Amino acid sequence: EHRHAPILELSGVSHEYGSGTPWALNALRDISFTLHEGDGLLIHGDNGSGKSTLAWIMAGLTVPTTGTCVLDNRVVSEQVGAVAIQFQAARLQLMRSRVDLEVGSAGGFSPDDHARVTEALVAVGLDAELAKRPIDQLSGGQMRRVVLAGLLARSPRVLILDEPLAGLDAASQRDLVQLLAHRRRTTNLTVVVISHDFAGLEELCPRTLHLHDGRLEPAAV
């Protein structure tokens, strides 16, 4: 089934907050799965199911209490940045005052390189004329795309999106999904979407894992 090499592998990942204290909380229990290059995976679960903790572990930002998460056979927490993550609150991820400064900074190139700024914006369906726009004049959907432009410009091994469709209107949701699905098909980008929602994500994520109470449930056939 998989023509492509394994890229991210989780083995027996569990995570506990506040270990050794009376209020220790098991967020994840014994999670194992493999992502292959070019996969589109939806991790579906309700609030409190452990989705965001799992996203942080996959991005190398949180080291699991037990088990391993490896990217290209190396522990992912030793190569932060190789897995790009878009947080739910896009505004919190935008550090610069203007679109071109943000995209250059996040993408790892000079904001004066207008060709690269334009290329990054066009790649996420934004008009090149937005380059000089102050971040605070953007709509929520535009902010989300600017974050994405910077992340994609780094050519990450894996892109994780936490609730990417929240707060977008139906047309923007469809556009974003199509754009990412096209990118996945044409460049073999590996995409993981973390969401409590299914609707409209099939094209981007042919594969779904269900997370319930910190455990993976077998997908209903």
Side-chain angles (χ1 to χ4, degrees), residues 3-4 38-40 177-191 202-206:
R3 299 183 309 285
H4 298 296
D39 264 358
V177 167
Q178 284 175 348
L179 179 142
L180 287 165
H182 175 74
R183 179 86 177 220
R184 183 173 76 78
R185 284 193 302 268
T186 53
T187 69
N188 255 339
L189 175 68
T190 308
V191 179
E202 304 79 9
E203 185 187 359
L204 179 58
C205 299

Side-chain angles (χ1 to χ4, degrees), residues 41-120:
L41 172 67
L42 169 63
I43 296 176
H44 170 263
D46 297 323
N47 287 340
S49 59
K51 300 191 304 286
S52 289
T53 302
L54 184 54
W56 282 64
I57 286 172
M58 291 170 76
L61 301 174
T62 294
V63 177
T65 311
T66 54
T68 56
C69 178
V70 298
L71 175 75
D72 299 322
N73 299 317
R74 270 180 58 220
V75 175
V76 69
S77 53
E78 291 170 7
Q79 34 181 340
V80 171
V83 175
I85 182 166
Q86 178 173 24
F87 303 121
Q88 198 173 334
R91 185 68 192 89
L92 300 179
Q93 219 165 337
L94 294 163
M95 302 298 179
R96 304 287 183 276
S97 58
R98 213 171 60 200
V99 170
D100 56 350
L101 304 178
E102 178 63 41
V103 170
S105 155
F109 55 85
S110 164
D112 298 329
D113 188 339
H114 302 299
R116 286 194 72 175
V117 171
T118 298
E119 185 189 2

Side-chain angles (χ1 to χ4, degrees), residues 137-210:
Q137 287 179 17
L138 301 177
S139 70
Q142 287 171 328
M143 284 185 190
R144 200 159 296 189
R145 285 176 186 239
V146 168
V147 171
L148 207 50
L151 292 177
L152 287 174
R154 285 185 170 271
S155 303
R157 298 288 284 137
V158 179
L159 174 66
I160 299 177
L161 305 161
D162 193 356
E163 300 288 0
L165 305 183
L168 298 183
D169 62 50
S172 301
Q173 290 188 358
R174 211 166 36 244
D175 283 353
L176 191 63
V177 167
Q178 284 175 348
L179 179 142
L180 287 165
H182 175 74
R183 179 86 177 220
R184 183 173 76 78
R185 284 193 302 268
T186 53
T187 69
N188 255 339
L189 175 68
T190 308
V191 179
V192 179
V193 174
I194 308 253
S195 179
H196 68 280
D197 215 359
F198 282 102
L201 286 163
E202 304 79 9
E203 185 187 359
L204 179 58
C205 299
R207 183 177 166 211
T208 303
L209 293 175
H210 298 279

